[in-house]
Amino acid sequence: MKEKTIDYVLRATWMAVSKMYNEEAGKAGSTMSTGFALLSIDPENGTPSTSLGPKMGMEATSLSRILKTMEDKGLILRKKNPKDGRSVLIYLTDFGQEMREYSKKVVLRFDEAVKENVSEVDLKTFIEVANTILSLISEKKIYKEEIKIE
């Protein structure tokens, strides 16, 4: 295979983006995962813990580890949901709000840099291709049948 596969390009690009975000988050004593969680929590009304995992595309066990760390660092508070005593709402503390703003600036700066260096047409095409790949995967249109090893 002399040509790089689509999978390779996606993986290598995401790993570079992830590393870049972790380096930026590290400057503020944080991580990319924490920043992503901060951006996924409604800053006004809080967010039910049960909807946070699906919103972030994370498994519950990974998410609970992140939330525990965030709570220990004083970024979030967990409160019983007044509308449903069985569930918990996650709220940002003042420090969590500050770190959310920092995370937001990091993400917007990345968007800005890409938009400055990639034409609008190419960016639109990239997003269309990425959405097509997501649809193929989510609708299970790639591996309908098992691949047989001979």
Side-chain angles (χ1 to χ4, degrees), residues 10-23 110:
L10 285 171
R11 199 168 3 100
T13 302
W14 176 245
M15 289 182 79
V17 169
S18 180
K19 184 176 187 248
M20 173 197 68
Y21 277 152
N22 270 315
E23 286 172 2
F110 172 73

Side-chain angles (χ1 to χ4, degrees), residues 2-129:
K2 289 186 179 182
E3 269 187 52
K4 291 180 180 168
T5 62
I6 295 164
D7 162 76
Y8 174 85
V9 173
L10 285 171
R11 199 168 3 100
T13 302
W14 176 245
M15 289 182 79
V17 169
S18 180
K19 184 176 187 248
M20 173 197 68
Y21 277 152
N22 270 315
E23 286 172 2
E24 286 305 305
K27 293 175 184 176
S30 191
T31 66
M32 180 189 75
S33 297
T34 297
F36 190 31
L38 289 168
L39 292 170
S40 300
I41 297 169
D42 184 316
E44 314 262 317
N45 306 310
T47 299
S49 58
T50 51
S51 70
L52 205 50
K55 195 174 184 179
M56 294 176 62
M58 291 182 85
E59 296 296 321
T61 50
S62 301
L63 180 61
S64 33
R65 223 179 359 260
I66 291 167
L67 292 176
K68 173 80 173 100
T69 302
M70 291 172 71
E71 196 170 29
D72 291 347
K73 289 185 174 183
L75 295 165
I76 61 166
L77 293 171
R78 299 181 206 223
K79 295 182 183 175
K80 281 194 176 199
N81 187 338
K83 295 178 184 168
D84 176 5
R86 298 169 297 168
S87 72
V88 173
L89 291 173
I90 309 291
Y91 291 93
L92 297 174
T93 62
D94 289 343
F95 180 48
Q97 293 270 13
E98 283 176 41
M99 290 302 287
R100 183 180 196 279
E101 283 307 308
Y102 176 79
S103 298
K104 189 174 171 182
K105 285 178 186 171
V106 168
V107 170
L108 292 175
R109 176 63 193 117
F110 172 73
D111 267 24
E112 190 180 295
V114 172
K115 288 175 181 174
E116 286 170 4
N117 290 279
V118 177
S119 75
E120 199 173 320
V121 171
D122 284 350
L123 198 51
K124 186 175 187 242
T125 302
F126 169 76
I127 291 167
E128 287 171 1
V129 170

